[in-house]
């Protein structure tokens, strides 16, 4: 047991410090991807709800395709495809040889593109729950489209979307483990390195899992707090 | 875009489909059995077992599948002497069985939650009626509870099957050459990620499209009571010729 905690010490022989910074990397790449996904998801939901036929079909195709393809393939596409693109652009400017793109950028982009497809569905569902009468009422008192969005639509969509968005954040967090295949030193990659050098894979993958659980648990509570906060003005059925 | 290359890649990737489907099917069957047991334990709140099942679901849903795969494939190797004496080593040294185990355990946690939702949606009055007729235990489950619960859970359960097909791609990280494994090999050989991605994407989309159709058909077949009655045009014939 003492030996087990020795593996995790923060001293020069322990892996504690590297694991904590790797956990930070996991959260950073998942968060960047997730926020990119929110932007993509918002645009897709808007295209689906307000756009013309071409926009609707495009948005629908995007969500269907991205939700039907394994995330690992998307990670490979962005990592190798991104590097290929950058190499070609660099070659046009006279550079020779291979130019790789940072694994962090490729990873965050892959997470963002996938989670955008899922977030679009959540936003669309949340938008559906708006009462048309409220939007008409807003228009009738002369609100501009932007004001209507800020005061009437956005607050309610956010409130209805939060539980679904929380689930998608948990997905993005777990998906970030796939980015270890590109060599980005996040939690799983760091555990692989530690497991390889100490020959203790069981302990280190167990620890990696435990840290993922802790992050998931903290974020779950954060989302519960946010849900409570955004629901302040809502009277619950039967809670008179 | 080199369409000849995409076609060639597509043909090579087809060779990975049997393994992808086999992994998904075997793991999904094992997961279903486990999920039914877990869901029943948790809805009946059987003491001790309920707490263990709750913790199991929490851990498996809260950690990435890739971590679980590595833990089983690389981690269990540390206990080789013990596993050898138990006769389990011949399975656990094989990436195929490690993948099946990881996929099945992971999916059972998600599927049990879907089934639990289904079980909870069974109206109490139906169970009471059945009990009044003297049904109990297995017969009550077989005739009343499970048929209702399965119908309610089917759409979510179908999604879980699609997720399982996608999840099999992770087994390529422990050397299995299913569709994604072959795709990764082709990308590193040819260095044409976009073309390989398109070919592999088409395969996964086709598999998942067929599966969603099958599930929709199953749903239609299981819920005749929800179908709109078919209006048969009355044949009007003159009473007198």
């Amino acid at each position: 047991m003492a030996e087990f905690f020795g593996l995790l010490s923060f001293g020069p022989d322990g892996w504690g410090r590297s694991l904590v910074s790797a956990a930070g990397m996991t959260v950073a790449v998942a968060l960047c991807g997730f926020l990119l996904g929110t932007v993509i998801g918002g645009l897709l939901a808007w295209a689906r709800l307000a756009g013309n036929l071409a926009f609707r079909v495009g948005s629908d195709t995007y969500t269907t395709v991205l939700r039907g393809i394994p995330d690992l393939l998307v990670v490979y596409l962005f990592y190798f495809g991104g590097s290929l693109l950058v190499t070609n652009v660099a070659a046009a400017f006279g550079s020779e040889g291979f130019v790789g793109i940072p694994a962090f950028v490729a990873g965050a982009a892959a997470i963002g593109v996938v989670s955008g497809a899922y977030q679009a569905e959540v936003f669309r569902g949340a938008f559906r729950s708006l009462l048309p009468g409220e939007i008409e009422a807003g228009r009738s008192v002369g609100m501009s489209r932007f004001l209507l969005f800020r005061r009437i639509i956005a607050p309610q969509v956010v409130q209805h979307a939060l539980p679904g968005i929380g689930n998608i954040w948990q997905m993005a967090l777990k998906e970030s483990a796939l980015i270890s295949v590109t060599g980005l030193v996040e939690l799983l990659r760091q555990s692989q390195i530690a497991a390889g050098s100490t020959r203790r894979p069981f302990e280190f993958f167990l620890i990696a899992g435990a840290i993922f659980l802790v992050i998931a648990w903290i974020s779950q509570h954060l989302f519960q707090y946010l849900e409570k906060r955004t629901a302040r003005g809502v009277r619950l059925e039967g809670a008179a | 875009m080199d369409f000849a290359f995409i076609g060639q890649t597509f043909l090579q990737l087809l060779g990975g489909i049997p393994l992808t489907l086999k992994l998904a099917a075997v793991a999904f069957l094992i997961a279903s059995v486990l999920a039914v047991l877990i869901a029943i334990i948790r809805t009946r709140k059987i003491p001790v077992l309920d707490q263990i099942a709750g913790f199991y679901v929490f851990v498996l849903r809260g950690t990435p599948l890739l971590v679980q795969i590595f833990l089983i494939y690389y981690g269990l190797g540390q206990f080789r002497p013990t596993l050898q004496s138990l006769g389990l080593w011949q399975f656990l040294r094989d990436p195929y069985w490690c993948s099946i185990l990881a996929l099945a355990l992971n999916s059972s946690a998600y599927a049990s939650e879907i089934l639990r939702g289904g079980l909870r949606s069974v109206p109490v009055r139906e169970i009471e009626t059945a009990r009044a007729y003297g049904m109990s235990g297995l017969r009550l489950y077989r005739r009343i509870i499970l048929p209702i619960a399965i119908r309610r859970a089917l759409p979510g359960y179908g999604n879980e099957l699609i997720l399982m097909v996608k999840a099999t791609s992770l087994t390529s990280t422990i050397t299995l050459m299913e569709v994604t494994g072959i795709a990764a090999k082709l990308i590193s050989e040819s260095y044409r990620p976009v073309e390989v991605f398109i070919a592999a994407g088409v395969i996964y989309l086709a598999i998942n499209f067929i599966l969603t159709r099958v599930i929709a058909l199953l749903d239609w077949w299981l819920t005749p009571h929800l179908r709109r009655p078919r209006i048969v045009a009355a044949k009007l014939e003159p009473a007198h010729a």
Side-chain angles (χ1 to χ4, degrees):
Chain A
M1 208 60 190
E3 197 199 358
F4 176 73
F5 285 108
L7 291 173
L8 287 180
S9 86
F10 282 77
D13 301 329
W15 292 88
R17 201 185 294 268
S18 4
L19 283 171
V20 168
S21 72
M25 181 59 92
T26 287
V27 173
V29 75
L31 194 63
C32 285
F34 176 76
L35 292 177
L36 178 65
T38 307
V39 175
I40 295 175
L43 288 174
L44 285 170
W46 172 70
R48 184 80 185 271
L49 291 162
N52 56 24
L53 185 68
F55 271 47
R56 286 207 304 273
V57 171
S59 164
D60 202 28
T61 313
Y62 181 96
T63 46
T64 313
V65 168
L66 265 294
R67 292 193 304 168
I69 288 178
D71 309 336
L72 190 59
L73 271 180
V74 181
V75 171
Y76 284 138
L77 175 74
F78 274 80
Y79 185 59
F80 293 107
S83 301
L84 193 66
L85 191 72
V86 173
T87 305
N88 285 343
V89 170
F93 283 95
S95 143
E96 275 171 36
F98 175 79
V99 185
I101 65 165
F104 185 92
V105 176
I111 292 180
V113 161
V114 175
S115 95
Y118 287 92
Q119 293 193 46
E121 295 295 293
V122 172
F123 287 139
R124 201 162 62 90
F127 191 85
R128 285 252 178 91
S129 65
L130 286 177
L131 295 173
E134 294 199 6
I135 295 172
E136 284 164 18
R139 281 212 193 106
S140 73
V141 296
M143 284 189 187
S144 68
R145 279 178 68 166
F146 178 72
L147 196 64
L148 192 70
F149 181 79
R150 187 167 66 84
R151 287 219 185 130
I152 312 290
I153 300 176
Q156 298 194 63
V157 167
V158 167
Q159 189 213 329
H160 288 296
L162 259 181
I165 293 293
N167 281 339
I168 293 170
W169 160 249
Q170 301 277 6
M171 275 173 54
L173 188 62
K174 284 180 272 176
E175 208 187 308
S176 73
L178 301 190
I179 296 165
S180 61
V181 300
T182 68
L184 180 74
V185 185
E186 45 66 73
L187 205 41
L188 184 55
R189 182 86 196 115
Q190 184 63 65
S191 316
Q192 274 177 298
I193 295 169
S197 95
T198 57
R199 292 173 186 262
R200 305 291 287 272
F202 188 77
E203 281 88 343
F204 276 106
F205 290 130
L206 207 61
I207 292 161
I211 299 176
F212 269 111
L213 266 186
V214 170
I215 302 173
W217 185 78
I218 294 172
S219 16
Q220 192 192 342
H221 281 264
L222 216 63
F223 270 97
Q224 273 170 3
Y225 167 77
L226 285 176
E227 272 173 46
K228 252 190 214 153
R229 220 185 121 83
T230 50
R232 273 179 310 182
V234 182
R235 199 165 52 178
L236 289 173
E237 204 87 38
Chain B
M1 199 66 61
D2 183 348
F3 287 102
F5 179 74
I6 294 182
Q8 213 183 325
T9 309
F10 185 77
L11 290 180
Q12 280 178 283
L13 291 175
L14 285 180
I17 293 180
L19 183 55
T20 293
L21 293 181
K22 208 163 100 185
L23 282 166
V26 176
F28 196 70
L29 280 180
I30 300 173
S32 299
V33 175
L34 286 173
V36 171
L37 291 177
I38 296 167
I40 291 176
I41 286 172
R42 296 197 70 195
T43 19
R44 302 195 70 170
K45 298 208 169 13
I46 300 169
V48 187
L49 285 181
D50 181 29
Q51 279 76 20
I52 295 172
F55 183 71
Y56 171 89
V57 171
F58 169 71
V59 169
L60 283 164
R61 295 207 315 161
T63 53
L65 174 58
L66 198 53
V67 172
Q68 293 160 18
I69 290 178
F70 284 179
L71 189 64
I72 289 173
Y73 184 62
Y74 296 113
L76 290 184
Q78 245 169 274
F79 307 103
R80 185 174 166 180
T82 326
L83 292 171
Q84 265 172 332
S85 66
L86 290 171
L88 291 171
W89 180 243
Q90 51 175 323
F91 292 109
L92 292 170
R93 66 185 236 195
D94 183 350
Y96 176 76
W97 289 111
C98 286
S99 300
I100 294 276
L101 184 62
L103 290 169
L105 294 181
N106 182 269
S107 178
S108 72
Y110 287 92
S112 75
E113 289 291 283
I114 297 169
L115 286 181
R116 202 157 67 100
L119 286 174
R120 271 171 46 161
S121 74
V122 178
V124 183
R125 57 171 190 277
E126 308 246 4
I127 299 173
E128 281 168 352
T129 312
R131 281 197 197 282
Y133 273 98
M135 281 188 216
S136 64
L138 267 183
R139 182 174 293 167
L140 179 65
Y141 268 95
R142 186 165 57 83
R143 287 212 183 140
I144 310 294
I145 300 179
L146 286 180
I148 299 177
I150 287 171
R151 283 176 174 83
R152 297 276 162 88
L154 189 68
Y157 215 67
N159 276 338
E160 193 48 41
L161 181 59
I162 305 291
L163 288 177
M164 172 63 94
V165 171
K166 287 166 62 180
T168 57
S169 68
L170 299 194
T171 63
S172 65
T173 59
I174 54 170
T175 72
L176 287 191
M177 283 315 225
E178 37 66 74
V179 176
T180 303
I182 297 176
K185 193 188 85 174
L186 290 177
I187 289 176
S188 58
E189 278 172 11
S190 66
Y191 217 74
R192 291 160 104 169
V194 181
E195 284 91 341
V196 176
F197 175 81
I198 291 173
V202 165
I203 289 179
Y204 279 105
L205 284 178
I207 294 176
N208 289 336
F209 178 76
I210 294 169
L211 287 177
T212 47
R213 291 298 99 195
V214 170
I215 294 155
L217 194 70
L218 200 61
D219 190 42
W220 179 84
W221 181 65
L222 282 174
T223 52
H225 56 290
L226 296 180
R227 271 178 239 158
R228 284 220 229 146
R230 210 172 51 185
I231 298 161
V232 184
K235 232 186 199 171
L236 294 178
E237 277 174 36
H240 306 284

